[in-house]
Amino acid sequence: KFTSIAMIGCGSMGGGMALLFAEDGLHVNLSDPSEKAMDAVIEKAEKSGYHGKLKKHKDYDSLCKSLSKPRLLVFSLPHGGVGDKVLEGLMPKLSKGDIILDCGNEHFANTERRQNKCKDTGICYIGCGVSGGYQAARAGPSMCPGGDESGLKEVLPLLQKVAAKDKNGKPCVGIIGKGGAGHYVKMVHNGIEHGMMSAICEAWGLMRKLGLDYEEIGDVLKEWNSSGELQGTFLVSIGADLSHKREPGDKSNPDPQQHPLVISEVLDKVVQDVTGEEGTGVWSNTEAIELHVPAFTLNVAHALRLASAYRGDRERANKMFDGGFPPSELKDVKDKKAFIEELRQATYAACLASYIQGMNIIARADQKHKWSIDYSQVWQIWRAGCIIQADYISDNILAPVLKNNPSSEDLNLIFSSVVAKDIKKTFPALRRIVAKAVETDQVVPALSASLEYFKVSTGTDLPTSFYEAELDYFGCHMFDKKGDQDARVKKPMEGKYHFEWKPATSQ
Ligand code: 6PG
């Protein structure tokens, strides 16, 4: 249907996607404030043999005139004001039936605001999460589009051609739901991604203190990725790969083996924009809190990343605290192999916790916004190409629940029998790893939060009785009495009783 498209934004993601569309035979019209960025994409296209397929444009007029109708314009832009400005400039040049496919990491509320803005003009604005990083953008990413169904149906065949394919050759793209559902699901994908990355880096830290060198850790991760519950987990597989990478040899020293491993040179600071402009990590956690979804693992994963960014403050505090509380070497672990196996199970448990929490956020948002999310498509788009790709989890945990597109009310993964089986199996290992880590001052926020999450989510004798009593004491908050629980399952916030804990003193 489309013979030419516009690619607006030619950074690493947009540039990669421009080449991907050119490879599919489309004429790609580029627009970017940086001519250099457009030239770089055109040069790559020439080298790849897509001669004349890409053309750069200096203004929206020539860009829009060069597109066949209905026009398809793909955005790959930073979130927020940039997209608004671009849309503002484009709207007078577009007409009914044209489609904008916003492939950036945009906040779903911005997406919905733009969808409303476009509504009366007949322009269709689709919010499409794109995952897999810049290399997948070129090779075929996982794509998560949401919005108006008729517009989605028009672009779907094209997206199916370019998207990542799962092991059965099925494209990792599908119609996710209405409104901002596509960008929302991508945002939560990133929240899950951060939970998993925290758990994996914490396991890496423990293995370092166990005395494994960088490359030995790479070998362990390779094994974890090849079988068992972490099988086919993208973030584990790239961890295995990066652990062996050295600076390339140069003229003065051509042997790469003589060069340090790159990982040994990476500072412990996850670069984070702390100005409030940072995207998906902040948004997914804000959403969890606003929707009242307990997301222990995701919350602390974000906090770890954030705390790591304040390297200067940490250095200053480290001095004030006479060296802080550094983790000790795990010298007394006699059976390293058994410890590593427990660590594998613990890491899996935290990844699973991240998925459970993420799905709960999506389900709650779906109920609130009435997006009619198709969960079988969420399952499909996460099968390959994306950062949270995890084959075991996909086949064994998500497939039994999501494949039949359950209603969002029935979605809590914790009630799935396969999830229960795996949590029961891995919980003791998670507990032992966290206990050992606590004893020896290791940094394990996501692992320990996941342990707490499983205890709290399945516990019926929490210390919160005391919390509730104190609230009632000073705030007359009311409380529920033991024995009445069943009636209140559906109304968790309801309190019926108040006790005058401290009789009022007479005036
Ligand atoms: C993906 C990634 C990607 C990510 C960026 C920036 O799915 O490909 O999640 O979209 O958002 O690499 O990462 P941060 O926002 O976490 O810094």
Side-chain angles (χ1 to χ4, degrees), residues 192-233:
I192 298 172
E193 167 187 313
H194 298 165
M196 293 172 77
M197 289 178 81
S198 196
I200 296 166
C201 88
E202 293 164 27
W204 178 87
L206 279 155
M207 285 194 269
R208 288 290 294 142
K209 293 297 163 195
L210 198 59
L212 271 66
D213 68 29
Y214 297 111
E215 294 203 85
E216 284 170 337
I217 298 176
D219 295 339
V220 169
L221 294 178
K222 190 172 174 200
E223 254 183 72
W224 288 6
N225 187 55
S226 64
S227 64
E229 292 92 339
L230 288 171
Q231 188 262 320
T233 301

Side-chain angles (χ1 to χ4, degrees), residues 238-259:
I238 61 165
D241 192 31
L242 72 83
S243 299
H244 298 287
K245 298 291 180 205
R246 289 174 192 275
E247 298 283 358
D250 53 26
K251 269 191 195 139
S252 65
N253 194 352
D255 179 8
Q257 288 302 321
Q258 304 284 320
H259 290 262

Side-chain angles (χ1 to χ4, degrees), residues 437-449:
V438 170
E439 244 174 47
T440 55
D441 296 329
Q442 314 295 328
V443 174
V444 286
L447 293 175
S448 55

Side-chain angles (χ1 to χ4, degrees), residues 13 105 130-133 186 189-190 193-194 278 280 305 387:
M13 295 296 286
N105 270 332
V130 171
S131 179
K186 173 60 187 13
H189 162 285
N190 285 24
E193 167 187 313
H194 298 165
E278 183 63 33
T280 52
R305 175 175 172 162
I387 306 295

Side-chain angles (χ1 to χ4, degrees), residues 184-198 235 279-285 295 297-302 305 350-351 353-355 357-359 361 382 388:
Y184 196 94
V185 169
K186 173 60 187 13
M187 171 195 78
V188 175
H189 162 285
N190 285 24
I192 298 172
E193 167 187 313
H194 298 165
M196 293 172 77
M197 289 178 81
S198 196
L235 287 165
T280 52
V282 173
W283 304 337
S284 48
N285 279 289
T297 316
L298 308 195
N299 295 164
V300 298
H302 181 68
R305 175 175 172 162
C351 291
S354 304
Y355 263 97
Q357 293 160 27
M359 284 314 303
I361 301 171
W382 288 350
I388 65 169

Side-chain angles (χ1 to χ4, degrees), residues 376-387:
S376 67
Q377 296 302 336
V378 176
W379 173 71
Q380 179 59 34
I381 55 159
W382 288 350
R383 298 270 289 159
C386 68
I387 306 295

